[in-house]
Amino acid sequence: EGKGSRFYFTLYFPKSERVEKQEDVAPRTLKDLSGMQVLLVEDVKMNVIMAKKLLEKWNALVDTAENGEIAVQMVRDKKYEVILMDLQMPVMDGFTATKEIRAFNTEIPVIALTASASLETQQGVYKAGMNGYVSKPFNPVDLYEVLARIRQ
């Protein structure tokens, strides 16, 4: 009692012959997002690298901010077509940042990037003034479809 427990087990899976490439995950039919100004607000470096690489593959122009406070200032200084906003960040979270952005810009679409798909989080996303959300880890096709709808 008071020390906890450890459990160990081994799972065996058959090895797949299929090698999944980015082209398999994101169909070749994806349109080009050339020139789309995207602000990616994310504090985890690996998430930034992966998302930015994907967005740039679609020819979007991507700026990054590591927290909501920086994002608010960037939106004041530059026009973006869309903001991809992480919710949990140091300094200023995505909910607060969106509320601050909405105080001076009600037009720009803000899409939450969240690891939480709970009903409470979904309600909080819309209550903060965001236009939608994409769950992390996200499927590239899902993200693309959201951005393509905004582009139309």
Side-chain angles (χ1 to χ4, degrees):
E1 188 173 311
K3 293 184 180 182
S5 301
R6 291 185 184 185
F7 299 90
Y8 299 91
F9 58 92
T10 303
L11 295 175
Y12 295 96
F13 295 98
K15 186 174 180 180
S16 174
E17 298 298 322
R18 181 172 179 225
V19 176
E20 193 169 275
K21 298 178 183 176
Q22 185 64 37
E23 291 79 27
D24 296 331
V25 176
R28 291 182 186 91
T29 58
L30 296 183
K31 296 178 185 175
D32 190 11
L33 297 176
S34 288
M36 183 176 220
Q37 295 282 341
V38 178
L39 176 57
L40 174 62
V41 188
E42 171 67 63
D43 63 318
V44 178
K45 294 262 188 222
M46 185 55 68
N47 292 347
V48 172
I49 290 167
M50 298 301 290
K52 189 172 181 184
K53 182 177 180 181
L54 185 62
L55 292 163
E56 288 176 344
K57 183 176 182 176
W58 297 329
N59 298 313
L61 303 172
V62 184
D63 289 339
T64 61
E66 63 189 41
N67 64 58
E69 185 175 73
I70 294 169
V72 171
Q73 190 57 50
M74 290 177 76
V75 174
R76 286 186 192 281
D77 295 341
K78 184 175 178 180
K79 184 176 180 176
Y80 293 97
E81 279 184 70
V82 65
I83 300 170
L84 299 176
M85 181 77 73
D86 185 20
L87 298 180
Q88 304 300 319
M89 296 176 287
V91 184
M92 182 186 289
D93 65 41
F95 297 109
T96 305
T98 301
K99 288 175 188 174
E100 289 201 17
I101 290 168
R102 290 297 182 229
F104 64 89
N105 186 326
T106 58
E107 300 298 316
I108 187 167
V110 179
I111 306 300
L113 296 178
T114 177
S116 172
S118 73
L119 183 58
E120 182 180 339
T121 299
Q122 292 174 30
Q123 291 171 341
V125 161
Y126 294 110
K127 186 176 180 182
M130 296 182 199
N131 302 86
Y133 67 94
V134 175
S135 296
K136 293 192 291 189
F138 58 83
N139 179 328
V141 174
D142 294 340
L143 178 61
Y144 179 83
E145 287 174 356
V146 168
L147 296 175
R149 271 186 254 123
I150 291 168
R151 197 72 186 299
Q152 292 175 352

